[in-house]
Amino acid sequence: MAFDSLSEKLQNVFKNLRGKGRLSEADVTTALKEVKMALLEADVNFKVVKNFIKTVQERAVGQDVMSSLTPGQMVIKIVNEEMVNLMGSETTEIAFKAGNDITVILMCGLQGAGKTTTTAKLAGKFKSKGKKPLLVACDIYRPAAIEQLKINGDKQGVPVFSMGDKHKPVNIAKAAIEHAVKNNHNVVILDTAGRLHIDEDMMNELIEIKENIEVFQTILVVDAMTGQDAVNVSEMFNNKIGIDGVIITKLDGDTRGGAALSIRAVTGKPILYAGMGEKLTDLEQFYPDRMASRILGM
Amino acid sequence: TGFSNIDDDFYEELEEILIMADLGINTTAAIITDLKAKVKENKIKEPKECKELLIQSIMDQMDVSETAYEFENRKSIVLLIGVNGVGKTTSVGKLAGQLKDKGKKVIVAAADTFRAAAIEQLTEWSNRAGVDIIAQQEGSDPAAVIYDAVTAAKARNADVLICDTAGRLHNKKNLMEELKKIDRVITREFPDAYRETLVVLDGTTGQNALAQAKQFNEVAEITGIILTKLDGTAKGGIAIAIQSELGVPVKYIGIGEHIDDLQKFNAKDFVNALFN
Ligand SMILES: Nc1nc2c(ncn2[C@@H]2O[C@H](COP(=O)(O)OP(=O)(O)OP(=O)(O)O)[C@@H](O)[C@H]2O)c(=O)[nH]1
Ligand SMILES: Nc1nc2c(ncn2[C@@H]2O[C@H](COP(=O)(O)OP(=O)(O)OP(=O)(O)O)[C@@H](O)[C@H]2O)c(=O)[nH]1
Ligand SMILES: [K+]
Ligand SMILES: [Mg+2]
Ligand SMILES: [Mg+2]
């Protein structure tokens, strides 16, 4: 890597501090400047960073620098603990309804985030677990969106329910549930059109779906490369339609992925999976601790 | 904002605005340092005046040259490249529609042969724009599609050939090699064509967009940026960092999903939006 890792930088900051008994406020402030830079560089939201630094600062000042630890390591330890506090430490699985009740999953998010691809990836995952999924084409706007879902469903060997682009998504969803009941599907995944969080009509469309059918899990799909705006987007999707979890896509790129931390901090909702490529098998378990290290550049 | 003095708090607020607009810490720090020097040099006392100076200097930096749209007047080949889902195919459709409306003969090439229904998607856009499309089957060699398209553009005496390509992450070596090959085919088959290579960046993207621009620039010399999805709440400030580092200008912005939602870049509107 071209740049020094954060831990190297922190060791440098504290080079002359070894043997000092306690961390002073000034020591900590200098060190946390590096942490702040690392987080901002990783696209963690400015306000989230500010709160985070404040918390770490309060905890670190006056800490005994135990003989076994250098001051740098002490700060890293506290930073790590607070990262885990924010990101969570456990992996989370998508919840299913008990028995053979139909679990309806609604996929939503901004344009181009990866919803349609992820819908098909999830279908493959559920199928291999013995579920009987049905995919539903509720994107009536994007050119060839239905065709895209059909091709991907075919590749996964999972049926796709579609009524073309002349019906309202809520009606397509209702009909899909009836179809699922008749054909013994126990998971229904609704692929919806990309939309902006500030587009009221389009947000209302999702609200209407949730008012008319029983959605068990609403999943927000977010591009890992998203910058400062991740906070606006996830907050508004969560406040307006309510989300249960998040899937982060395109983590096979070289982005640090600070959006993950921002989203977690403002919604408190777990990140369920990570998209790791364009192939329909490229969906992985999400490990919050690994993500924390990636964001910090450690 | 309600500052009466140019003090640390004032600069801190400017810094916050710039970082929240995705300029990134390095570019933000450089801009603030430069601003402080100018404030001193020009003996500026009013926060309002200081802010105007900041706006003006970013505006000057982002201004697009007169010759930026020269390809419109030439026999040209426009290549759109970028990572997944940023808005390449949609932008090809919008641009084709605009040029067609100006009376140009336009052909679009479906060189994304990989993504499910990418060809159908571009076909729909070519219908909306009322232009010809050159396409093969899903899974065929994209360089072969480009070869066909260049041949057709010459044979039909088209004014502009606009090529859609598959989304690819800039850290994927083999996919970037594929792009190089596409670029080489164009150069070889139509050396006299005026070239315009636009990297499409999602306006919501953070610092990674700089890495994208750099890497794409290495495989195909980029001549401009299309910054999409500026109809949301993201500001697209990383384009400023890219302009400072690579000198590549934003030429178009995407502001929606309809055929008319592509505009030529206006530095003044863009910079004002950063502060609103
Ligand atoms: N590299 C990579 N590409 C991905 C990943 N997930 C999706 N993509 C690609 O991202 C692009 C957009 O994916 P879609 O599934 O069409 O996104 P969408 O959210 O359905 O888009 P809209 O319906 O237009 O809003 C496609 O090129 C996908 O192949 C991922 O995890 N990694
Ligand atoms: N709101 C908004 N949406 C846009 C804009 N440009 C494109 N989109 C949407 O973004 C999504 C992705 O656009 P595409 O044109 O398919 O993107 P792409 O880069 O070709 O994607 P891949 O080929 O899969 O890499 C679609 O839903 C488009 O309608 C824009 O300026 N604003
Ligand atoms: K995106
Ligand atoms: Mg989709
Ligand atoms: Mg495309």
Side-chain angles (χ1 to χ4, degrees):
Chain A
M1 224 166 249
F3 47 86
D4 291 342
S5 75
L6 179 63
S7 44
E8 269 171 73
K9 278 182 184 157
L10 290 183
Q11 303 306 344
N12 276 335
V13 170
F14 288 120
K15 219 176 227 157
N16 306 315
L17 232 100
R18 245 216 148 97
K20 212 171 156 179
R22 311 188 124 230
L23 289 174
S24 76
E25 192 159 343
D27 302 334
V28 173
T29 304
T30 321
L32 289 187
K33 241 184 210 156
E34 297 290 345
V35 179
K36 184 177 163 188
M37 300 272 273
L39 292 173
L40 288 174
E41 187 82 339
D43 291 319
V44 181
N45 181 270
F46 186 83
K47 296 195 166 113
V48 174
V49 173
K50 228 170 151 176
N51 283 333
F52 180 83
I53 296 294
K54 202 171 143 231
T55 311
V56 175
Q57 171 97 28
E58 280 165 9
R59 270 195 63 191
V61 170
Q63 284 277 339
D64 286 323
V65 182
M66 289 170 287
S67 50
S68 60
L69 287 178
T70 67
Q73 279 164 344
M74 172 62 86
V75 172
I76 286 171
K77 184 169 163 277
I78 297 171
V79 166
N80 271 331
E81 284 169 9
E82 289 303 323
M83 283 293 269
V84 170
N85 260 348
L86 263 187
M87 292 287 300
S89 55
E90 313 266 299
T91 59
T92 314
E93 289 283 345
I94 290 181
F96 288 99
K97 289 194 79 167
N100 220 22
D101 277 4
I102 299 178
T103 298
V104 180
I105 300 174
L106 175 79
M107 308 291 281
C108 61
L110 296 183
Q111 289 92 347
K115 295 172 296 298
T116 305
T117 309
T118 307
T119 298
K121 287 177 178 178
L122 283 176
K125 214 169 202 68
F126 297 157
K127 194 183 162 195
S128 70
K129 283 185 184 167
K131 301 274 179 198
K132 209 181 158 212
L134 176 71
L135 305 185
V136 185
C138 288
D139 180 354
I140 57 170
Y141 309 101
R142 171 175 165 164
I146 299 172
E147 192 56 27
Q148 184 190 3
L149 188 66
K150 279 185 176 163
I151 292 172
N152 283 332
D154 260 4
K155 283 185 191 160
Q156 300 290 59
V158 172
V160 173
F161 182 89
S162 154
M163 289 166 56
D165 58 7
K166 303 283 183 290
H167 294 267
K168 281 173 71 178
V170 61
N171 293 332
I172 298 172
K174 277 189 203 163
I177 305 291
E178 279 173 30
H179 180 90
V181 172
K182 273 192 209 128
N183 294 278
N184 297 315
H185 290 284
N186 48 19
V187 184
V188 172
I189 314 178
L190 309 176
D191 178 34
T192 67
R195 68 201 68 221
L196 290 173
H197 49 296
I198 52 168
D199 185 333
E200 289 215 7
D201 291 343
M202 289 297 283
M203 292 302 271
N204 284 337
E205 184 188 277
L206 294 180
I207 294 170
E208 197 184 2
I209 292 177
K210 288 188 78 166
E211 277 170 357
N212 282 277
I213 65 167
E214 196 200 329
V215 172
F216 191 63
Q217 291 277 293
T218 302
I219 296 179
L220 179 68
V221 180
V222 186
D223 186 324
M225 297 174 272
T226 310
Q228 297 287 316
D229 206 38
V231 157
N232 287 331
V233 174
S234 56
E235 214 167 26
M236 286 184 87
F237 268 93
N238 193 33
N239 291 344
K240 288 190 174 173
I241 62 163
I243 64 171
D244 299 294
V246 176
I247 294 180
I248 302 276
T249 61
K250 309 177 197 173
L251 265 177
D252 48 323
D254 57 5
T255 181
R256 296 265 290 277
L261 186 66
S262 304
I263 293 167
R264 182 67 217 226
V266 297
T267 67
K269 297 293 155 52
I271 296 169
L272 303 161
Y273 290 108
M276 293 299 292
E278 295 187 74
K279 287 201 306 294
L280 297 182
T281 45
D282 294 333
L283 187 71
E284 294 182 7
Q285 189 67 257
F286 180 80
Y287 296 97
D289 50 340
R290 290 185 203 166
M291 193 68 220
S293 306
R294 177 174 176 151
I295 290 170
L296 282 170
M298 309 222 291
Chain B
T1 53
F3 285 94
S4 50
N5 290 310
I6 301 177
D7 52 17
D8 283 352
D9 285 348
F10 172 73
Y11 281 121
E12 243 168 61
E13 193 190 86
L14 291 181
E15 206 174 272
E16 176 173 345
I17 291 171
L18 296 178
I19 288 174
M20 293 281 277
D22 287 318
L23 275 83
I25 39 170
N26 295 325
T27 307
T28 298
I31 285 176
I32 298 289
T33 306
D34 178 59
L35 180 66
K36 282 179 176 169
K38 279 185 186 151
V39 163
K40 208 169 160 190
E41 193 185 302
N42 299 311
K43 302 196 169 59
I44 289 167
K45 295 275 176 294
E46 290 298 316
K48 192 166 165 270
E49 211 181 325
C50 176
K51 200 167 155 183
E52 277 161 11
L53 189 68
L54 172 63
I55 290 175
Q56 190 59 50
S57 64
I58 304 177
M59 229 149 71
D60 291 345
Q61 186 207 329
M62 296 303 287
D63 212 22
V64 194
S65 77
E66 297 276 318
T67 57
Y69 305 98
E70 177 61 15
F71 75 94
E72 290 183 352
N73 311 317
R74 306 275 205 101
K75 295 277 176 221
S76 57
I77 299 183
V78 185
L79 183 64
L80 268 66
I81 57 183
V83 301
N84 308 85
V86 289
K88 295 175 293 300
T89 307
T90 307
S91 299
V92 168
K94 291 172 179 175
L95 192 58
Q98 274 192 12
L99 293 171
K100 158 96 184 186
D101 283 351
K102 285 188 175 171
K104 305 285 173 191
K105 183 169 173 55
V106 181
I107 297 179
V108 297
D112 178 357
T113 59
F114 177 77
R115 216 214 54 217
I119 299 167
E120 289 87 340
Q121 185 189 2
L122 188 65
T123 303
E124 169 60 24
W125 274 109
S126 72
N127 291 335
R128 289 182 186 179
V131 303
D132 288 351
I133 180 170
I134 302 297
Q136 294 181 10
Q137 299 299 309
E138 185 178 332
S140 56
D141 176 10
V145 177
I146 294 292
Y147 179 89
D148 276 2
V150 172
T151 309
K154 286 197 284 194
R156 299 178 200 178
N157 197 26
D159 296 307
V160 188
L161 169 65
I162 312 175
C163 309
D164 187 25
T165 60
R168 71 198 77 225
L169 291 175
H170 50 287
N171 61 339
K172 308 248 162 116
K173 252 208 156 123
N174 54 336
L175 297 179
M176 294 302 268
E177 281 302 319
E178 180 190 278
L179 198 57
K180 247 187 204 165
K181 194 172 151 198
I182 288 174
D183 192 58
R184 273 201 305 269
V185 169
I186 300 175
T187 311
R188 192 184 64 214
E189 297 305 319
F190 203 164
D192 296 336
Y194 189 91
R195 296 289 303 273
E196 188 71 35
T197 301
L198 302 171
V199 68
V200 183
L201 302 174
D202 184 326
T204 350
T205 310
Q207 301 310 296
N208 196 247
L210 179 57
Q212 291 170 26
K214 275 186 187 163
Q215 298 297 317
F216 278 104
N217 198 28
E218 270 174 30
V219 291
E221 196 182 319
I222 58 182
T223 55
I225 293 167
I226 299 180
L227 194 59
T228 62
K229 309 184 193 177
L230 289 187
D231 45 329
T233 47
K235 309 283 191 179
I238 191 63
I240 296 167
I242 296 171
Q243 164 68 253
S244 330
E245 275 215 30
L246 303 179
V248 179
V250 179
K251 292 194 178 176
Y252 292 95
I253 60 166
I255 48 158
E257 299 184 79
H258 294 288
I259 196 157
D260 300 327
D261 294 331
L262 184 79
Q263 293 180 351
K264 285 189 175 163
F265 182 74
N266 179 307
K268 191 173 170 207
D269 293 346
F270 177 76
V271 179
N272 280 328
L274 293 179
F275 294 90
N276 288 322

